[in-house]
Amino acid sequence: MEAYADHPARHRVRWLARFALLWAVGIGARLLFLQAFSHEEFRDLARQQQTKLRQLAAPRGSIFDRAGRILALSVPVETVIVNPLQLPDRPLAAQLLARTLEIDEAKLRDRLETYANARKGYMVVDKGVSVEKADRLRQLGVDWIGFESNGVRRYPDGALAAHVLGGVDHQARGNAGIERHFEDDLGGYPGYEWVVSDVQRRSFDSSIEKAPQAGRDVVLTIDRRIQYAADEAIREAVASSMADSGTAVALDPNTGEILALSNYPTYDPNEVPKSTADYVARKNLAATDPFEPGSIFKVFGLAAALETTDIRPDTVLHCGNGTINVGGHIIGEAHGGFAYLTVEEIIAKSSNVGAVKIALKTGDKNLHDYLLRFGFNQTTGVEMPSESQGLIFRLKRWQPGSIGSVAIGHEVLTTSLQLARGLAAIANNGFLIRPHLTRARPLGEVTLRNVVYQPEQNEQPRRILRPETAMTLRKVMESVVLTGTGKGIRLDGYSCGGKTGTAKLFDKTIGKYVSRYNASFMGFAPVTNPAVVVVVTLNGTRQYGATAAGPAFKQITQTALRVLNVPQDLTDPAPAAEPVPERIVADVAVTSTPLKTPEAMQQEMEAEQGPATAIAVGPKLPNFVGKTARAVLDEAMQAGIRVDIEGSGIARVQDPPAGGRLASGQHVKVRFQP
Amino acid sequence: MAQRLKTDWFLFWTVISLAFFGLVIIFSASLPKTELMHISQFYFMAKQAALIGVGVVCLMGLKRLDYRKLNRPEWAFGLMGVMLTMLVAVYFLDSHHHRWIRVPGFQLQPSELAKPALAIFLAWFVTRRISAINSRYTLGPAALVIGVLAVLVLAGDMGTMAVLMITVAAVFYVAGISPRYAAMALAALMVIGVVGIAAKPYRLRRVVHFVDPSYELLDKADASGRVKAWLENSMSTRDPNYQARQSVIAVGSGGLFGLGLMHGKQKMLYVPEAHTDFIYSVIGEELGLFGCAGVLTAFMVILWRGLRLFWMAPDDFGKYLALAVTVCFTVQALINISVVLDLGPTKGIPLPLISYGGTSMLSSLVSLGLLLSVSERAG
């Protein structure tokens, strides 16, 4: 038995040992492959199935008026979520949640079943839940309810300044007005967290990938009290003049600060638009809807004449007894006809023939130049989306009769905002200012940190008129309210000047101008050193400019002067309003058939300038497809692009595609799939 | 003559360390499960610790016991008989799995206990017939007993059957069985194996899936797709390779040093049975390549100390007992690790000394007690 030294059995045991060792070496090689060489691949696979990227909402910035009064703010609300796979008793859970949240129990129960059957571990029960209700659920102390806090946008003053503020969409992103223009600043940057969850999607750990960055605040130049007066005035004016819509713009001619901007119909930005009418009401007419201004435009023609010809206010012109033929195009008066009128009287009485004669003396080129100087045919650059630049035809395209039409405010399209800017140059002794809506900081004691303000570079107001021209124009415009078409539009304690305008509306269905008007009044006060410029326009009324828009102008200007604390320059109260005969007020710009219909002009304008939509800006989009969520986020953060992430895994689809650009406030959607 | 006893402390401490290391890993791996079941997080660990206590007492007792006392037919046949009886009983008592006998507070798995019993039986039988190993009077009875054992174990536990049969094969190979009989035995085993696999669709599916994951070959062989449909419908889980895939992700994501003890994430129910059959994946994830290699090395140490006794044991019974115990123990460990690393189809056998499971732990410690008993009296 001891003669075993090279017994075959020992030999076979050695073979067994070698075989086992070989097996172990194989296992070792496999371990090396898994843990050393392919470690990263498996780490990513593990992370992919264990972790989900969840967005953390950034608190949205607030919007204040010029005095620091709040106009828009985000109120914290909570989203209630459950894990349907984890519910101990689904019908009971549905009952509990439905009662507390006051939602439909049967529907909730169905949804819970559907989610549970689909093996989904994350279900939003209700959004926008008040903190109180969420706290009531929290007090139940059950572990299957989850909460996510986010904010809902609130506008405490309802419809006040609705078109300035704009509104937010269901994802709390600005979709109009200031909310849209400053979306990137107001919205802040959402944060992201990795949530680690088990196979049943219960999360047990999370790590912040990037903390949310709160949105910045915006301080508006709007004054809440003036805005209120404007909103009220324009609402009343639309009602009393039976107009379709109306706008009012009040601005400080020296700084360009917009004190109030009002449109009617208006809307409550707290509400979600439900009907077409709701969407129509959201249109910011003052900035986006150009129209034929009519007689108020004569002022700008006179400015050109004063600067380029020897015409002075006391120059006497023969007003053709009612008609004039310009290049085969007959232009008449609103009411009767005039023989000899001074230039001042032409403006005061709003003589069409007189205005055309002034324009003829000025000439096509000078008139065209000056209109451009006043900033027509270009956007004002106000901080609102989709601003229209109106239309002044290039000189080459003026026909022989064009000058007649332009002189009385036809064949041109302007927005209320452009008119206000033009008038501001007359009010501030000749400087073209940029109307704007934001301030670096609020007035008074209020201090706000983190305020958005983007002053234009090299914002030196450009001189476009000689000071004496501006002063002369103001004198002429004062006579409009003293003796002319605006007679009766007087302020308590303040002198004022202005110009009425009544442009016939063109009915495209019958192809003619009809007796419905775009009735406007634009004016300033006080005359010597105007503190405020107000433009009021009523669209679709049958009343003349002074009648329809005059009272609103008075109301808005009076409020603005009081709020701005402007010293009074008149001791007398305004004379009691007395009925003004229609023949005095009448100032309709009368042309026969139009050379260019407003519709045709709109089309040409859009053809030349492109439709008034959001302009794509921002960096070129990189290609995200095929990358992991982490890589996409890193890249997007570096490029300053916002990403909406859907699903998990590898990026499969992106919208807009690589190479495209984002419109302001737009996000890239990236869908991930494992 | 009173023999001077010499304990193999190297082997002893390797075994004890592995068992206690297993306790720690069980604690970590069972955390998500205890949380899900709303029970104490020490539940599994405490139960395992109690059984380690019982097992170590058995081990110390067997270590003292002179193994030669077991070299008697009554022990060999007696233990085997008890095992076979229990296996028959379990077939009826556990009508679904044919695997566990429910005792209050404890589940007994007879197929596990069959391992030390088989080792004793093999050692006794081979020693008795060592000179006539290829006689049909040797092989006939052996085949009968072993065949019955194989079929009974197979009914519930294919993996354990494989371990037992490999042990039998190794012992007879060393004893010098002729290639002719070896081939016959192999053929018989394969028949049993094929029948066993085909009898349970889930097994067949695991095998098919391991060999042919996308059913390419199957589609060629079976154009009508009937077999495929049968396979697809035979199992509740959609992906038979799910466990293995998840466990490979766990091991791979561990890297060189692992995520740290208790920091594994795949055990969050991604890897099912993380604290039992797939515990090696938790080691891989939490302790990395070093942890895995360490455990593998420990099993290799046990193999070395065990096979060493084939040279040192004073008698044939000791040699073959040590051989059977060592092969059985090591093969089970290697198969388990291979399955976890997706090197073979899923079987359902625990990692000896480490996986949670009372019978397995008891069986392992009893087997190693026999091994230590041989080593005390060796050389």
Side-chain angles (χ1 to χ4, degrees):
Chain A
M1 262 222 178
E2 285 305 311
Y4 249 131
D6 50 351
H7 189 279
R10 289 190 171 178
H11 193 61
R12 288 192 285 265
V13 172
R14 276 196 202 98
W15 273 110
L16 276 185
R18 277 176 209 139
F19 177 73
L21 210 60
L22 193 69
W23 193 343
V25 166
I27 288 173
R30 175 74 169 166
L31 284 172
L32 217 57
F33 165 75
L34 291 177
Q35 299 188 301
F37 299 116
S38 311
H39 164 57
E40 263 124 64
E41 188 188 316
F42 286 111
R43 186 196 57 200
D44 290 348
L45 271 173
R47 190 176 284 158
Q48 221 175 79
Q49 66 177 10
Q50 293 158 357
T51 59
K52 289 267 172 296
L53 202 59
R54 194 178 291 169
Q55 190 164 325
L56 301 170
R60 194 173 175 84
S62 302
I63 303 177
F64 300 90
D65 88 337
R66 63 192 287 119
R69 287 172 290 232
I70 200 134
L71 296 177
L73 74 163
S74 285
V75 178
V77 289
E78 307 210 36
T79 301
V80 176
I81 48 183
V82 293
N83 180 343
L85 301 178
Q86 222 188 320
L87 294 182
D89 181 353
R90 281 197 284 272
L92 183 71
Q95 193 182 33
L96 203 66
L97 289 166
R99 288 201 182 156
T100 315
L101 299 173
E102 288 156 23
I103 52 178
D104 188 53
E105 188 185 323
K107 265 189 206 157
L108 179 62
R109 202 169 44 228
D110 289 350
R111 276 178 62 213
L112 283 173
E113 293 295 334
T114 317
Y115 272 69
N117 292 338
R119 307 282 306 155
K120 285 184 185 163
Y122 183 92
M123 190 190 102
V124 173
V125 179
D126 200 8
K127 283 182 180 176
V129 176
S130 70
V131 178
E132 294 82 60
K133 276 185 191 171
D135 278 343
R136 236 180 290 159
L137 285 176
R138 260 191 210 101
Q139 279 159 13
L140 296 175
V142 291
D143 59 357
W144 42 266
I145 306 182
F147 302 90
E148 279 169 17
S149 37
N150 33 43
V152 68
R153 200 63 165 165
R154 287 274 173 256
Y155 304 90
D157 290 316
L160 184 103
H163 293 97
V164 174
L165 297 170
V168 294
D169 61 17
H170 64 287
Q171 286 174 305
R173 279 185 224 134
N175 58 6
I178 288 287
E179 296 272 27
R180 166 77 178 270
H181 186 87
F182 288 108
E183 166 59 28
D184 286 359
D185 299 286
L186 282 166
Y189 287 86
Y192 293 93
E193 65 172 349
W194 289 102
V195 179
V196 187
S197 57
D198 70 10
V199 82
Q200 299 192 335
R201 294 274 158 267
R202 294 176 305 164
S203 47
F204 56 84
D205 193 16
S206 64
S207 59
I208 303 280
E209 169 77 22
K210 181 175 179 282
Q213 194 183 321
R216 300 169 71 190
D217 295 332
V218 172
V219 177
L220 296 182
T221 57
I222 296 287
D223 185 284
R224 190 167 159 273
R225 292 166 295 177
I226 306 174
Q227 179 68 41
Y228 178 77
D231 284 352
E232 284 297 296
I234 207 71
R235 187 174 59 79
E236 282 165 21
V238 168
S240 70
S241 68
M242 287 177 284
D244 298 333
S245 60
T247 70
V249 177
L251 57 79
D252 179 336
N254 299 306
T255 60
E257 290 186 337
I258 297 175
L259 300 167
L261 188 149
S262 187
N263 296 301
Y264 191 90
T266 186
Y267 64 99
D268 183 348
N270 292 305
E271 306 285 330
V272 178
K274 292 178 194 75
S275 60
T276 320
D278 285 350
Y279 282 103
V280 170
R282 286 179 180 244
K283 197 159 165 32
N284 182 8
L285 300 170
T288 63
D289 189 35
F291 54 92
E292 286 187 298
S295 301
I296 50 176
F297 213 60
K298 290 169 185 167
V299 174
F300 303 109
L302 177 59
L306 290 171
E307 292 259 309
T308 58
T309 68
D310 56 359
I311 284 177
R312 289 294 164 261
D314 52 2
T315 308
V316 176
L317 295 173
H318 188 266
C319 292
N321 291 324
T323 54
I324 185 167
N325 183 328
V326 189
H329 186 63
I330 311 294
I331 290 169
E333 300 286 11
H335 209 282
F338 305 103
Y340 288 99
L341 289 178
T342 63
V343 166
E344 185 170 334
E345 284 168 328
I346 288 172
I347 296 300
K349 295 178 195 298
S350 200
S351 161
N352 292 330
V353 179
V356 172
K357 286 215 158 174
I358 295 171
L360 287 170
K361 283 208 166 223
T362 315
D364 285 10
K365 182 166 185 318
N366 286 336
L367 182 58
H368 182 261
D369 282 357
Y370 268 83
L371 293 181
L372 294 189
R373 277 195 183 204
F374 273 106
F376 296 109
N377 206 34
Q378 45 192 287
T379 55
T380 65
V382 74
E383 303 94 321
M384 288 196 283
S386 311
E387 192 192 353
S388 164
Q389 67 177 67
L391 181 71
I392 306 284
F393 280 110
R394 272 171 290 140
L395 203 51
K396 260 192 273 181
R397 305 202 40 205
W398 284 29
Q399 292 163 358
S402 289
I403 191 166
S405 295
V406 173
I408 57 171
H410 281 273
E411 254 187 79
V412 294
L413 294 174
T414 67
T415 63
S416 299
L417 208 53
Q418 285 179 317
L419 290 170
R421 171 163 68 167
L423 183 59
I426 296 170
N428 66 20
N429 289 337
F431 290 100
L432 187 74
I433 45 84
R434 184 174 73 89
H436 56 272
L437 276 166
T438 52
R439 291 175 59 90
R441 56 194 174 80
L443 294 169
E445 300 296 300
V446 194
T447 46
L448 292 168
R449 281 180 301 163
N450 205 13
V451 165
V452 185
Y453 181 59
Q454 300 161 320
E456 290 289 304
Q457 289 89 1
N458 314 320
E459 188 69 41
Q460 279 295 331
R462 188 152 48 91
R463 174 168 288 287
I464 59 167
L465 296 177
R466 291 196 297 268
E468 53 271 30
T469 310
M471 285 180 224
T472 311
L473 283 167
R474 292 207 297 275
K475 276 287 165 209
V476 172
M477 290 173 78
E478 190 179 13
S479 68
V480 172
V481 299
L482 294 178
T483 61
T485 52
K487 194 171 175 185
I489 301 174
R490 307 284 283 275
L491 305 175
D492 278 331
Y494 296 98
S495 59
C496 68
K499 180 73 189 82
T500 62
T502 311
K504 281 191 168 184
L505 289 181
F506 186 80
D507 188 333
K508 65 179 168 188
T509 55
I510 56 173
K512 274 183 186 161
Y513 281 109
V514 293
S515 291
R516 290 177 65 235
Y517 308 129
N518 218 326
S520 320
F521 187 89
M522 64 175 194
F524 47 82
V527 174
T528 43
N529 187 14
V532 62
V533 163
V534 175
V535 176
V536 178
T537 302
L538 293 157
N539 191 288
T541 172
R542 290 176 190 279
Q543 294 178 350
Y544 297 118
T547 323
F553 166 80
K554 262 163 77 171
Q555 207 175 321
I556 297 166
T557 313
Q558 198 82 56
T559 309
L561 292 169
R562 180 170 53 75
V563 167
L564 298 175
N565 231 349
V566 178
Q568 302 199 338
D569 64 347
L570 296 180
T571 45
D572 307 332
E578 51 189 76
V580 183
E582 194 177 276
R583 100 191 123 70
I584 296 182
V585 180
D587 59 346
V588 184
V590 180
T591 63
S592 49
T593 47
L595 292 171
K596 285 265 192 306
T597 66
E599 265 68 32
M601 282 163 41
Q602 284 275 8
Q603 279 166 13
E604 289 198 29
M605 184 176 79
E606 282 175 13
E608 266 180 39
Q609 303 162 5
T613 47
I615 306 139
V617 288
K620 232 181 182 177
L621 288 177
N623 187 13
F624 290 134
V625 174
K627 293 178 180 165
T628 62
R630 195 176 281 254
V632 168
L633 281 179
D634 283 348
E635 203 164 327
M637 273 180 234
Q638 271 166 25
I641 300 167
R642 275 120 199 287
V643 187
D644 288 339
I645 287 190
E646 261 175 56
S648 64
I650 304 292
R652 304 289 179 192
V653 189
Q654 82 180 79
D655 174 42
R661 284 174 198 279
L662 292 181
S664 151
Q666 200 189 342
H667 298 213
V668 200
K669 285 198 189 74
V670 183
R671 181 142 17 94
F672 291 81
Q673 269 157 14
Chain B
M1 180 186 100
Q3 197 182 349
R4 208 167 60 86
L5 299 183
K6 206 177 74 190
T7 303
D8 184 350
W9 291 114
F10 196 6
L11 177 63
F12 179 80
W13 286 117
T14 305
V15 168
I16 298 298
S17 320
L18 270 183
F20 279 88
F21 172 74
L23 267 189
V24 177
I25 298 293
I26 284 170
F27 175 68
S28 170
S30 66
L31 272 181
K33 187 153 185 170
T34 58
E35 199 178 306
L36 190 73
M37 293 166 70
H38 295 287
I39 52 178
S40 159
Q41 50 188 8
F42 297 105
Y43 176 79
F44 292 102
M45 188 192 175
K47 270 184 90 171
Q48 185 79 349
L51 277 156
I52 289 179
V54 175
V56 169
V57 169
C58 293
L59 178 127
M60 298 309 284
L62 286 166
K63 184 163 155 299
R64 292 242 148 260
L65 178 83
D66 188 344
Y67 66 92
R68 280 166 289 210
K69 286 184 182 157
L70 299 172
N71 189 8
R72 301 172 68 81
E74 50 265 47
W75 280 111
F77 282 111
L79 286 174
M80 209 57 185
V82 170
M83 284 334 301
L84 294 179
T85 312
M86 279 170 83
L87 284 167
V88 171
V90 80
Y91 186 87
F92 294 105
L93 288 175
D94 181 359
S95 56
H96 190 235
H97 297 287
H98 312 306
R99 214 181 261 195
W100 291 291
I101 296 175
R102 268 161 235 278
V103 182
F106 183 61
Q107 286 187 335
L108 195 69
Q109 198 179 345
S111 59
E112 284 290 340
L113 291 177
K115 289 172 194 165
L118 179 72
I120 292 168
F121 175 79
L122 281 176
W124 173 79
F125 193 85
V126 168
T127 314
R128 186 126 288 243
R129 309 286 301 178
I130 191 81
S131 49
I133 193 74
N134 282 316
S135 146
R136 75 179 51 183
Y137 298 105
T138 306
L139 294 174
L144 199 66
V145 174
I146 290 159
V148 169
L149 180 71
V151 167
L152 285 176
V153 172
L154 184 63
D157 192 345
M158 179 107 189
T160 305
M161 202 257 339
V163 171
L164 292 176
M165 291 309 116
I166 290 173
T167 310
V168 170
V171 169
F172 276 91
Y173 163 68
V174 172
I177 196 171
S178 82
R180 188 167 138 253
Y181 290 121
M184 278 167 69
L186 200 65
L189 265 180
M190 276 178 69
V191 169
I192 294 175
V194 167
V195 168
I197 289 170
K200 296 262 169 100
Y202 78 89
R203 287 181 183 158
L204 185 57
R205 204 155 162 235
R206 280 176 180 175
V207 172
V208 169
H209 222 274
F210 183 76
V211 177
D212 184 18
S214 53
Y215 295 125
E216 274 171 33
L217 296 173
L218 191 68
D219 280 340
K220 270 180 208 152
D222 172 43
S224 67
R226 227 177 300 161
V227 176
K228 189 171 149 184
W230 180 67
L231 285 177
E232 291 289 340
N233 292 328
S234 64
M235 221 161 141
S236 53
T237 44
R238 261 171 267 148
D239 180 0
N241 228 24
Y242 173 80
Q243 272 185 320
R245 207 155 38 81
Q246 290 294 347
S247 92
V248 163
I249 291 177
V251 173
S253 66
L256 291 184
F257 303 100
L259 304 177
L261 204 58
M262 309 293 157
H263 285 93
K265 297 195 175 70
Q266 281 292 99
K267 66 187 182 193
M268 300 295 170
L269 314 178
Y270 289 101
V271 178
E273 305 305 314
H275 63 304
T276 61
D277 296 353
F278 279 83
I279 199 157
Y280 196 69
S281 74
V282 177
I283 299 173
E285 191 186 13
E286 300 194 347
L287 300 174
L289 183 58
F290 286 85
C292 282
V295 171
L296 188 61
T297 310
F299 283 112
M300 288 296 111
V301 165
I302 292 171
L303 177 74
W304 165 47
R305 301 308 286 190
L307 291 187
R308 196 171 144 267
L309 294 175
F310 198 79
W311 277 256
M312 298 167 72
D315 55 313
D316 278 352
F317 182 69
K319 285 183 208 294
Y320 281 99
L321 184 61
L323 177 72
V325 164
T326 309
V327 167
C328 182
F329 184 84
T330 318
V331 159
Q332 184 174 346
L334 289 175
I335 289 182
N336 174 281
I337 292 174
S338 301
V339 167
V340 167
L341 300 182
D342 199 19
L343 293 170
T346 308
K347 301 239 175 29
I349 53 170
L351 185 59
L353 286 183
I354 295 182
S355 281
Y356 172 79
T359 323
S360 161
M361 176 58 79
L362 218 53
S363 154
S364 298
L365 287 173
V366 164
S367 302
L368 291 162
L370 292 173
L371 196 60
L372 282 164
S373 171
V374 176
S375 101
E376 300 259 305
R377 288 151 189 90

